[in-house]
Amino acid sequence: MTGRDIISEKIHSRHDPKWSWRLWAPEGNGSLLCVACAFEIIGDKDVSSVRKSFALSSLSGVLTSSPGTLRRLLQQDHRVSAHFTVTLLRMLQTTEDPVTLEKVDQVLVQLLLELQSETIFRFVLDEINKKLTDQLNLKHFLATFNFLGNLVKAVPHVAPSLVTHVTLLDCLCSALLYPDEALKTSIVYVWLQLTSTPGSSLVQSLPLAIRDRVCNLLLLTLAHANSLQLIRNCVGLLLQLVQLAEAVSVLMNSPVSQIMCDESEEILRNNSQSLSQNQEQQPSDHCPLPLILKKLLLSGDETLQVTSVKCIASVLVHSPSQYSNPFIKADVPEFLFDRLACSSNDVLLWSLYSCLLLLTEDPLFFSQCHSVYGIESLVRSLKEALQLTNLEVPKQGFLLLTKILERQPPSVRLFPSRQGFSAVSEAIGAGVLSSCLLVAMQSTSAAAALFRLNHQSVPVQCKEIEGLIEAITSRFPELTLPPHAHLHSSRRTKWLDPSGQATKSEGYVLQALACFQAACRLAEECASEPVLRENTFTSPYKQSTTQDSLESLCQCLFRCCDSIWIPTFTRTHEYVPSIQILEHFYTILSSQFTLCPSLMPAFANKLASSGFYRQCMEHKGRLCAGNRNPNLNAACCDFLQKLSVCLLSQSDYPSGSHQHDVKEVENLLKHALPSLCCPVSNWRSLLYECQGPRATQYCVVIILHLALQHGDRLLPDMMVFCSVLWLLHSVQEQGNCALPHSVLRSALYLLAVAQDSSPSVSGVPLNCIYKALSSCQSFSSLYFHHTQLLHFICRYPELAEKFGPQVLELWLMKKATDAGKCMAEIQEKGENQQSTADEKREHEPDTETTELLTLIEKYPAVILTLLDIVCTKEASLAQRALAVFKQLLHSQRDFKTDLCENLRPALLQALQRFNMENMGHGQEQAAQVNSLPLVLKLLCVMQASDPPSSSHYSNMEGEHFKLLYHVTNIAGRLKPTNTESLLPAINYLYCYLSLCPVDCTDRAVSMLLSSSGLMGQLQTVFSSSAPSLSSSACPPLALLCCCHLLLSSLITLQRIHSAQVNKCITWSLDEAVQCILVRKRKTDNLLLVSSLRMLQVLLDADLESAVVILTTGPGLVGCRLLGVQDGALYPLGFRGAKCLSTALAELFLQKHELLLRASVNCLSSLLGFLQRKSPATAKEVVCQPGSRFLLQCLLSSGESCLLYPAILQLITLLLQAGGTAVLWEADLLQVMEMVESKGVKDLSKEAAQALRQLLTLVQSKHFLNTEEHKQRVENMMGALEPQTEAESRSLSSALHLGDVSVCLSDFTLKTD
């Protein structure tokens, strides 16, 4: 052979040039190939093995580098190729050099691959078969079998020819009995390559006898194999065979004795014919394959372990129920679990999971406790699997865990201890948080199976369950849920691609819902099993403080449902989710009503107001009509029933019928909801069906009511109103007026709330409503606290006449109940804060009162009904009605109707009735005591709110004078101890005199002064208020104040009209002054105000009046004979004047505005009295050192106090009476500076008027000497003029201080 050319120089010259070929090379001159030279060298026995090896290598290189060249040369004569093939086949048996032998195998395979001829393939197989037939010793056929295997592997087209070569196949089977393991390895290699050839029909094309022999011989070989390569080949072949069901049947039914004994080929051949007949008779316990594979599992070779596990899985997949039993009895699951615990190979783990998954289908797997044995190994392997990059492995592992948890018999616990349950919970939690959503989905499914009662330890590990629930819900924000149904169909199809993220997300939601439902079911079961909730070996103290409790679990479930599940579901409810998702979701919602009953009222309100009634009913109508999806229908019905019952349970219905009504609704919904499977839009037609199912119609009415009550209008208001009205009519047409109690209430609610969007009814429709409401024995049982009910009943006179009083009473009773808690809170804060709160509530009415005021404005006839309540009902109810009247009258300017004109006739009738009854019995009746005070209070409030009119008061036949007459008589006849009625009566008389125009009071004051009973009552009150009497014997302070105020008005008006006095009243001037001087700190401000008013009126009258006989004492005039000064001032005296002025000076430092006004007016009257009786005394009183101290205190009190109208008026009085001796120029300048700093425009009208009076006095008396100061006064006066004309302040004619109404006109600052 030359260096580059593939020729032999010695023999090349005698070869025909047609067997030569110049090979192409990139550099231009290719080498020369002579096929004849190469073949002759290879076939010559005398040529050394080195030269043959070189020639073989050269041919191999040509076949590799120049494909097609050798084929073109050999196609010139097929005999040459056949001869060369035979030569190479012979060399496979005769060559001993392993290198050369390898080259022969390589070239032969390359040559046949180059030729690609069916003929040559068949020729090679025939040659091999002939040699095998002729030789008894197969020792030299090792290379031949290796070549045959390599040929089948390299040239797949050889396999079909080999499958049909039965003789050769039979020889290959027989060769497996040869004791040489290397030979067996090569033969098994041939069978492995043959069965591994692409094309599923090749193994099935094998003759049945051959295939059965191969299976049996394979088991025999594998059972006795020692070399690793043989075992690998056998296991590889076994993996290929078990893909075929028929082969598996042979392998699993092969008898142990036949495999374990080394029999001859003839025996095997004979037995193979009868094997199929005996297969059904062989017991499965004697199958050797599980034992063989179990032995392979114990090997340290992971490849063998993987393949053996795949073999087991391939066998089981054909028929788990048929083939799993032998494997389980051979304890294969135990070995599989052991492999799980010590392997991190992803392929092996996946195979083990798959194999065990198939074994779990056999109940024997669990009865022999393989699941209990392997659960710990499985959990540990899952933690390892989650660290792998191949996420299919943990997915398969969690699938296995799921099946074990689902199929485990309840009688055998997997987790008897807390540690085991905690470990599996931790593994599942890690799986839920996996980056792969499919792994998380399968882990969630495992969690659902774990939440079965039989898997729980005692006590139940609620904390672990909470952790899993929170982990599952924590993934919701990252989900990509499918789009809404209104998207284009092609776009939605793209979203719903099975491999898309949206589909995976929807699958996860489904699994999570199933898991959450399982957790809710577990919590319900634990609640009914006390032994599961506590550990009997744990102390009660630790049990009460632990967070691992069922209550904590229930709250966790509710929290997740409320904050995660419902928002997620609501976000996607516009599209139609899967039926399973809906079923799980509504079941979960139903469970919450059982798990957390204390949280359900607020939860139910939230669901109803969020549109869950509409949503659930639409799902029922769309998916459950026509008896479809009964499970979903049942879940929806259960949810709607529990939601409705919860909403009804918290309604403010009367307690007497409440429980009965709730039970009635529960039964009605239970029987009627399953059949209500139409869309909400069809409910109108359902209600209009005269012969329709009544129970279903009633169910619709109740649901419409509950949904509307929480703001969810399922149908338009007008449609609801007409539909309900028609239903009432159709029921009555059938002769049945009495609807179920709860249905009638719901119908009334719908009619009332929907009335604004509907026209008024009359005639037959109104008669239907009247009959329906009248059919109920007690209207109070139909009442619901809603303003629309008031308007609905009062809107129609027919209904208002019969049901109006009851509705108003129930409304006021509810108002009183709500006010009770508020009053209790106020009483805890003290008397002062209580009076402040009362004052605030009077000016700011509550919601119920505001609604009644609106009702009265719209329907004035309600006033008479309320008045009837005041006069005839119990005190608590009448008191609430009276409070409404107070607010009504205080805000009279907001109404068009003259409320006072509407009230006076009714009040007059009430008073006439009282007078008649009193005259008939001689005294007031006990039953009237509760109502008379309220009528008098209402009259008093009305009098204080009614604007004065001369025409009304001057007419003696008018209602005003008649009311005054009856009140005067009643006041005179009342017992002195009946202060509850006497107080509003005296207060009314006072308000009448003070608010009535002066020119119209002559007849009124004459009538009062002529009433001996009234004057006696006043005398009794004054006599009972002596300081020497006990506090229990004294009249209430409010009554004493009213008597002072009434008496002061009588004294004033008697002077004006010179009215005749039949009975005088004795009043102690000494006690009044001592009260103001000594006991003022312990005296109520209102009593001080009324006493000062009384003193002011008496001083204006120079302490002389036909109405009053004043008594004095040593405290005023001393104990000695009266001097000139005391005589002039009698009965006040000089000492009394100084004491009174001192007491007034102390009162000026108070911050009570009304008390300041009364004090200033009293001082003004006192100074006037002194000026008239003793000017020197007046000067002395004003100029005493206390006056200067008082001014200094006022000047240093700041702007807020100094600029009070009363304080400005006080400064004017002191300056006018005392001059600069009391008020210095610097003091006046300080007052002016404060006025300038505040701004004249910001002063109130009274303050501006008082300031003007002060400045006028300063100008007239020239108290300021400098021109600058005079100019400042002129500028200030100029600024006051336009201000006083532009600003107007309208004060109420009366001020309500508790139960006393004080006329502000009596406390207007005196300007003269």
Side-chain angles (χ1 to χ4, degrees):
M1 302 288 290
T2 61
R4 293 180 54 192
D5 297 332
I6 307 175
I7 60 173
S8 177
E9 297 178 354
K10 294 181 179 180
I11 59 176
H12 179 64
S13 58
R14 65 171 183 257
H15 296 154
D16 193 330
K18 69 178 182 179
W19 299 109
S20 300
W21 188 267
R22 176 68 65 180
L23 300 175
W24 181 85
E27 58 272 12
N29 295 323
S31 59
L32 179 64
L33 167 64
C34 179
V35 175
C37 291
F39 287 0
E40 192 171 342
I41 292 172
I42 293 172
D44 192 350
K45 296 179 180 180
D46 298 331
V47 177
S48 64
S49 60
V50 176
R51 293 187 63 194
K52 289 182 179 181
S53 179
F54 178 76
L56 289 169
S57 297
S58 300
L59 285 177
S60 177
V62 171
L63 290 170
T64 303
S65 61
S66 301
T69 301
L70 194 58
R71 182 178 65 252
R72 286 191 293 272
L73 293 175
L74 294 178
Q75 283 177 350
Q76 299 178 89
D77 191 343
H78 293 290
R79 293 174 300 172
V80 175
S81 59
H83 174 72
F84 184 58
T85 302
V86 172
T87 300
L88 293 176
L89 288 173
R90 185 172 59 252
M91 291 180 67
L92 289 174
Q93 299 179 31
T94 58
T95 305
E96 296 181 358
D97 181 40
V99 177
T100 305
L101 193 60
E102 183 182 356
K103 297 295 183 182
V104 172
D105 184 296
Q106 180 180 358
V107 170
L108 186 54
V109 171
Q110 288 180 308
L111 177 63
L112 295 176
L113 183 62
E114 177 80 8
L115 295 177
Q116 289 288 340
S117 171
E118 184 68 27
T119 303
I120 194 65
F121 294 158
R122 193 72 183 179
F123 174 76
V124 170
L125 296 179
D126 290 339
E127 285 295 322
I128 294 174
N129 181 60
K130 183 171 63 174
K131 293 181 181 297
L132 285 172
T133 306
D134 295 342
Q135 296 289 336
L136 295 177
N137 189 353
L138 301 178
K139 182 177 181 180
H140 302 291
F141 279 85
L142 176 61
T144 302
F145 290 140
N146 286 333
F147 155 71
L148 185 57
N150 292 333
L151 177 62
V152 175
K153 180 179 180 181
V155 189
H157 297 295
V158 177
S161 301
L162 180 57
V163 168
T164 59
H165 208 302
V166 179
T167 307
L168 180 56
L169 293 177
D170 190 64
C171 292
L172 290 174
C173 290
S174 300
L176 282 174
L177 294 173
Y178 196 80
D180 188 357
E181 286 205 350
L183 187 65
K184 290 181 180 180
T185 302
S186 62
I187 296 172
V188 174
Y189 176 70
V190 175
W191 285 107
L192 175 60
Q193 297 305 323
L194 178 62
T195 55
S196 301
T197 303
S200 59
S201 62
L202 283 177
V203 180
Q204 296 179 355
S205 301
L206 285 171
L208 180 60
I210 296 296
R211 187 181 62 207
D212 293 348
R213 286 185 66 196
V214 171
C215 292
N216 287 284
L217 290 170
L218 176 62
L219 291 179
L220 176 63
T221 304
L222 190 55
H224 295 86
N226 293 317
S227 67
L228 180 60
Q229 189 59 45
L230 176 59
I231 294 174
R232 287 181 175 177
N233 289 350
C234 289
V235 174
L237 176 58
L238 178 62
L239 182 60
Q240 297 300 324
L241 290 175
V242 293
Q243 308 303 320
L244 186 64
E246 293 83 355
V248 171
S249 178
V250 175
L251 291 167
M252 292 299 295
N253 291 280
S254 182
V256 176
S257 58
Q258 181 177 346
I259 300 304
M260 294 306 177
C261 298
D262 188 9
E263 299 181 338
S264 63
E265 178 187 356
E266 189 62 28
I267 296 175
L268 288 172
R269 183 182 294 111
N270 294 334
N271 284 347
S272 64
Q273 298 175 0
S274 61
L275 183 60
S276 59
Q277 300 175 4
N278 297 332
Q279 284 174 357
E280 296 179 0
Q281 302 174 6
Q282 297 296 334
S284 59
D285 296 355
H286 296 83
C287 179
L289 183 58
L291 299 175
I292 293 172
L293 294 175
K294 184 174 73 171
K295 183 177 69 173
L296 294 176
L297 287 174
L298 296 174
S299 65
D301 192 327
E302 282 196 349
T303 304
L304 286 179
Q305 293 175 355
V306 171
T307 310
S308 61
V309 174
K310 288 182 177 179
C311 289
I312 298 174
S314 299
V315 170
L316 294 174
V317 79
H318 291 293
S319 179
S321 60
Q322 181 180 357
Y323 300 132
S324 59
N325 194 284
F327 286 98
I328 295 173
K329 290 186 175 181
D331 290 333
V332 171
E334 179 180 341
F335 288 85
L336 294 175
F337 279 122
D338 289 341
R339 291 301 92 200
L340 281 178
C342 59
S343 177
S344 59
N345 184 298
D346 57 346
V347 178
L348 178 57
L349 285 176
W350 190 92
S351 303
L352 289 168
Y353 291 148
S354 303
C355 186
L356 286 167
L357 188 61
L358 293 168
L359 289 172
T360 57
E361 298 183 21
D362 195 325
L364 186 64
F365 178 87
F366 298 97
S367 62
Q368 291 195 354
C369 297
H370 288 294
S371 56
V372 177
Y373 173 83
I375 190 65
E376 185 176 350
S377 300
L378 175 58
V379 171
R380 284 201 303 267
S381 71
L382 285 173
K383 295 179 181 178
E384 292 291 336
L386 288 171
Q387 309 301 322
L388 302 175
T389 56
N390 185 1
L391 295 177
E392 286 295 324
V393 178
K395 176 187 172 185
Q396 192 75 355
F398 282 110
L399 176 60
L400 170 61
L401 177 61
T402 303
K403 296 302 179 183
I404 290 178
L405 293 172
E406 289 177 349
R407 297 167 182 171
Q408 178 69 20
S411 58
V412 182
R413 288 190 176 273
L414 282 175
F415 314 107
S417 66
R418 177 173 183 172
Q419 291 74 16
F421 187 87
S422 299
V424 73
S425 299
E426 181 181 354
I428 294 176
V432 169
L433 299 177
S434 171
S435 59
C436 177
L437 195 57
L438 295 177
V439 175
M441 188 189 312
Q442 191 57 59
S443 302
T444 304
S445 180
L450 179 65
F451 291 158
R452 297 188 177 187
L453 189 61
N454 58 292
H455 295 318
Q456 309 306 310
S457 59
V458 179
V460 176
Q461 306 304 311
C462 298
K463 189 173 183 180
E464 305 291 345
I465 299 174
E466 288 182 37
L468 286 177
I469 293 298
E470 291 174 352
I472 291 170
T473 54
S474 66
R475 299 209 59 158
F476 272 66
E478 67 186 67
L479 297 180
T480 306
L481 294 171
H484 296 168
H486 62 263
L487 292 180
H488 194 270
S489 59
S490 62
R491 183 179 172 189
R492 178 169 172 81
T493 303
K494 180 179 178 182
W495 272 83
L496 295 181
D497 180 22
S499 60
Q501 187 67 20
T503 304
K504 294 178 183 178
S505 298
E506 189 171 1
Y508 179 81
V509 171
L510 176 59
Q511 291 296 340
L513 280 168
C515 178
F516 201 86
Q517 181 183 346
C520 294
R521 182 171 56 249
L522 174 62
E524 291 176 346
E525 293 172 343
C526 291
S528 61
E529 294 289 340
V531 70
L532 297 175
R533 300 198 301 268
E534 58 185 15
N535 190 344
T536 56
F537 299 101
T538 303
S539 65
Y541 172 75
K542 291 185 177 180
Q543 287 181 7
S544 62
T545 57
T546 180
Q547 296 180 354
D548 192 9
S549 63
L550 180 60
E551 181 181 0
S552 175
L553 173 60
C554 294
Q555 291 179 355
C556 173
L557 292 172
F558 173 75
R559 184 172 60 253
C560 292
C561 178
D562 186 36
S563 60
I564 303 295
W565 291 99
I566 292 178
T568 301
F569 186 82
T570 305
R571 192 170 70 245
T572 58
H573 82 279
E574 293 184 18
Y575 80 98
V576 182
S578 70
I579 296 173
Q580 290 177 310
I581 287 181
L582 289 175
E583 182 181 339
H584 289 312
F585 180 71
Y586 287 120
T587 304
I588 289 170
L589 291 181
S590 300
S591 300
Q592 304 310 309
F593 291 91
T594 305
L595 298 179
C596 299
S598 61
L599 303 176
M600 285 306 100
F603 183 62
N605 291 334
K606 182 178 181 180
L607 291 176
S609 60
S610 300
F612 270 79
Y613 268 113
R614 176 185 298 275
Q615 180 177 288
C616 189
M617 294 308 304
E618 289 294 346
H619 287 147
K620 272 174 56 68
R622 187 183 304 176
L623 302 173
C624 301
N627 295 324
R628 293 180 298 140
N629 304 313
N631 292 335
L632 174 59
N633 192 15
C636 292
C637 293
D638 186 50
F639 164 67
L640 291 172
Q641 179 182 338
K642 290 183 177 179
L643 175 62
S644 301
V645 169
C646 183
L647 292 174
L648 287 172
S649 299
Q650 55 181 305
S651 300
D652 54 354
Y653 299 147
S655 57
S657 61
H658 185 231
Q659 294 299 328
H660 177 268
D661 291 346
V662 172
K663 191 65 178 178
E664 182 181 63
V665 171
E666 185 176 6
N667 293 331
L668 178 61
L669 295 177
K670 182 178 181 180
H671 292 90
L673 269 177
S675 60
L676 183 57
C677 294
C678 62
V680 175
S681 57
N682 295 342
W683 284 8
R684 178 179 180 274
S685 58
L686 178 63
L687 292 174
Y688 270 86
E689 293 180 8
C690 296
Q691 303 299 328
R694 290 300 182 202
T696 305
Q697 292 175 333
Y698 296 161
C699 181
V700 169
V701 171
I702 291 174
I703 292 179
L704 285 172
H705 160 216
L706 294 175
L708 183 58
Q709 188 176 6
H710 293 83
D712 187 8
R713 282 177 160 76
L714 300 181
L715 293 175
D717 285 355
M718 186 173 182
M719 185 183 296
V720 170
F721 188 89
C722 297
S723 301
V724 173
L725 200 57
W726 179 261
L727 177 63
L728 295 178
H729 175 71
S730 63
V731 170
Q732 294 174 11
E733 281 289 316
Q734 294 179 356
N736 183 14
C737 296
L739 275 74
H741 200 267
S742 56
V743 178
L744 181 57
R745 185 191 295 111
S746 296
L748 178 59
Y749 181 90
L750 294 174
L751 291 173
V753 176
Q755 64 176 319
D756 292 339
S757 302
S758 308
S760 299
V761 296
S762 59
V764 175
L766 183 60
N767 189 39
C768 287
I769 299 175
Y770 185 87
K771 285 183 178 180
L773 297 180
S774 301
S775 65
C776 183
Q777 296 180 353
S778 174
F779 182 80
S780 62
S781 61
L782 299 178
Y783 176 79
F784 52 89
H785 198 68
H786 198 292
T787 179
Q788 289 295 92
L789 178 60
L790 294 175
H791 287 268
F792 181 72
I793 296 298
C794 297
R795 181 177 184 177
Y796 304 102
E798 295 87 346
L799 301 180
E801 181 180 358
K802 183 171 184 179
F803 306 111
Q806 300 180 59
V807 171
L808 289 174
E809 289 177 22
L810 292 168
W811 182 272
L812 292 173
M813 288 173 61
K814 180 65 168 58
K815 173 181 171 64
T817 303
D818 294 341
K821 298 180 180 178
C822 181
M823 290 297 298
E825 294 176 358
I826 293 175
Q827 289 175 358
E828 297 178 357
K829 299 179 180 179
E831 184 179 351
N832 293 334
Q833 295 182 3
Q834 181 176 356
S835 61
T836 304
D838 289 339
E839 225 174 288
K840 182 177 180 181
R841 287 198 307 275
E842 286 182 356
H843 294 287
E844 298 180 6
D846 52 31
T847 305
E848 284 79 4
T849 302
T850 303
E851 295 295 344
L852 284 178
L853 296 179
T854 305
L855 183 72
I856 292 173
E857 180 183 11
K858 195 172 184 180
Y859 308 107
V862 176
I863 298 175
L864 299 179
T865 305
L866 283 174
L867 184 59
D868 184 67
I869 293 175
V870 172
C871 298
T872 61
K873 300 301 178 182
E874 61 273 12
S876 60
L877 191 62
Q879 187 68 42
R880 301 311 305 172
L882 178 63
V884 174
F885 275 114
K886 286 184 178 181
Q887 293 296 339
L888 181 67
L889 295 173
H890 294 162
S891 57
Q892 182 182 355
R893 61 185 180 276
D894 298 331
F895 294 86
K896 299 179 181 178
T897 307
D898 187 357
L899 299 179
C900 294
E901 292 295 331
N902 292 330
L903 281 174
R904 282 195 194 93
L907 288 173
L908 181 59
Q909 289 181 3
L911 291 176
Q912 289 172 346
R913 185 172 65 250
F914 284 131
N915 267 326
M916 293 295 295
E917 292 174 353
N918 292 339
M919 291 176 63
H921 295 85
Q923 59 182 1
E924 71 267 26
Q925 299 298 310
Q928 299 167 354
V929 173
N930 290 332
S931 58
L932 177 59
L934 299 175
V935 173
L936 291 173
K937 286 181 182 179
L938 178 60
L939 186 60
C940 183
V941 171
M942 183 193 72
Q943 182 66 30
S945 303
D946 188 20
S949 174
S950 300
S951 60
H952 291 160
Y953 289 94
S954 59
N955 184 8
M956 293 186 62
E957 300 298 326
E959 294 173 347
H960 287 77
F961 198 81
K962 290 181 180 179
L963 287 171
L964 179 67
Y965 170 77
H966 286 291
V967 173
T968 304
N969 286 340
I970 290 175
R973 292 183 180 139
L974 288 172
K975 291 182 178 181
T977 56
N978 187 7
T979 58
E980 187 179 10
S981 299
L982 189 58
L983 172 61
I986 299 297
N987 197 204
Y988 168 76
L989 296 177
Y990 159 68
C991 290
Y992 187 97
L993 293 179
S994 296
L995 297 177
C996 177
V998 177
D999 56 343
C1000 301
T1001 56
D1002 52 345
R1003 295 185 180 89
V1005 70
S1006 298
M1007 183 178 66
L1008 294 179
L1009 291 174
S1010 63
S1011 174
S1012 300
L1014 175 63
M1015 301 301 285
Q1017 291 283 17
L1018 294 177
Q1019 184 63 67
T1020 302
V1021 171
F1022 293 136
S1023 301
S1024 302
S1025 61
S1028 59
L1029 298 177
S1030 63
S1031 58
S1032 59
C1034 295
L1037 293 179
L1039 177 59
L1040 184 58
C1041 293
C1042 287
C1043 291
H1044 280 154
L1045 295 174
L1046 175 59
L1047 185 57
S1048 63
S1049 297
L1050 288 174
I1051 294 172
T1052 302
L1053 294 176
Q1054 190 275 335
R1055 286 182 59 209
I1056 295 175
H1057 300 294
S1058 302
Q1060 182 179 356
V1061 179
N1062 296 331
K1063 184 176 182 179
C1064 298
I1065 296 175
T1066 302
W1067 191 71
S1068 176
L1069 180 63
D1070 182 33
E1071 290 181 3
V1073 175
Q1074 291 299 321
C1075 176
I1076 298 174
L1077 178 64
V1078 180
R1079 298 191 299 274
K1080 57 179 175 296
R1081 295 186 182 277
K1082 299 180 180 179
T1083 306
D1084 184 75
N1085 287 335
L1086 186 57
L1087 181 57
L1088 292 175
V1089 168
S1090 62
S1091 299
L1092 291 173
R1093 171 62 180 167
M1094 183 72 178
L1095 289 172
Q1096 173 195 341
V1097 170
L1098 289 172
L1099 289 171
D1100 288 339
D1102 292 338
L1103 301 178
E1104 296 178 358
S1105 174
V1107 180
V1108 177
I1109 299 176
L1110 296 177
T1111 62
T1112 185
L1116 299 182
V1117 296
C1119 300
R1120 294 177 295 179
L1121 295 175
L1122 298 178
V1124 177
Q1125 195 176 25
D1126 285 332
L1129 300 177
Y1130 187 84
L1132 180 62
F1134 177 74
R1135 181 184 299 179
K1138 292 193 67 175
C1139 290
L1140 181 58
S1141 64
T1142 301
L1144 292 175
E1146 294 180 3
L1147 293 178
F1148 290 140
L1149 299 177
Q1150 303 295 324
K1151 297 297 180 67
H1152 194 285
E1153 185 173 357
L1154 193 61
L1155 184 58
L1156 281 176
R1157 291 171 176 269
S1159 302
V1160 171
N1161 287 342
C1162 185
L1163 179 61
S1164 177
S1165 298
L1166 174 61
L1167 294 178
F1169 169 75
L1170 294 177
Q1171 289 285 352
R1172 292 189 296 272
K1173 297 294 185 179
S1174 177
T1177 304
K1179 187 72 172 179
E1180 183 178 353
V1181 167
V1182 172
C1183 295
Q1184 61 182 331
S1187 300
R1188 182 63 193 165
F1189 176 75
L1190 173 63
L1191 281 174
Q1192 291 300 319
C1193 292
L1194 294 175
L1195 291 172
S1196 61
S1197 62
E1199 173 187 313
S1200 58
C1201 177
L1202 188 60
L1203 297 184
Y1204 275 174
I1207 301 301
L1208 291 174
Q1209 184 67 24
L1210 172 63
I1211 295 174
T1212 303
L1213 288 175
L1214 295 177
L1215 184 63
Q1216 186 176 13
T1220 56
V1222 178
L1223 192 70
W1224 300 344
E1225 183 178 355
D1227 300 331
L1228 290 174
L1229 294 177
Q1230 184 178 351
V1231 174
M1232 294 173 61
E1233 289 176 0
M1234 289 188 179
V1235 172
E1236 290 171 346
S1237 64
K1238 180 177 179 62
V1240 176
K1241 294 183 178 180
D1242 293 333
L1243 295 177
S1244 64
K1245 180 179 180 181
E1246 276 194 308
Q1249 185 176 356
L1251 178 62
R1252 184 186 302 106
Q1253 187 175 357
L1254 174 61
L1255 296 177
T1256 302
L1257 180 63
V1258 170
Q1259 285 181 328
S1260 62
K1261 299 295 183 179
H1262 303 287
F1263 288 119
L1264 297 177
N1265 299 320
T1266 65
E1267 293 298 329
E1268 178 185 357
H1269 295 162
K1270 292 180 180 179
Q1271 186 62 41
R1272 288 175 64 185
V1273 171
E1274 291 180 3
N1275 294 338
M1276 201 172 294
M1277 288 288 289
L1280 282 172
E1281 293 296 336
Q1283 179 68 18
T1284 55
E1285 295 177 1
E1287 181 184 11
S1288 65
R1289 181 190 177 196
S1290 60
L1291 295 175
S1292 300
S1293 58
L1295 179 65
H1296 302 281
L1297 300 175
D1299 293 330
V1300 179
S1301 296
V1302 178
C1303 298
L1304 292 180
S1305 58
D1306 291 341
F1307 298 94
T1308 303
L1309 295 175
K1310 299 176 67 174
T1311 57
D1312 52 352

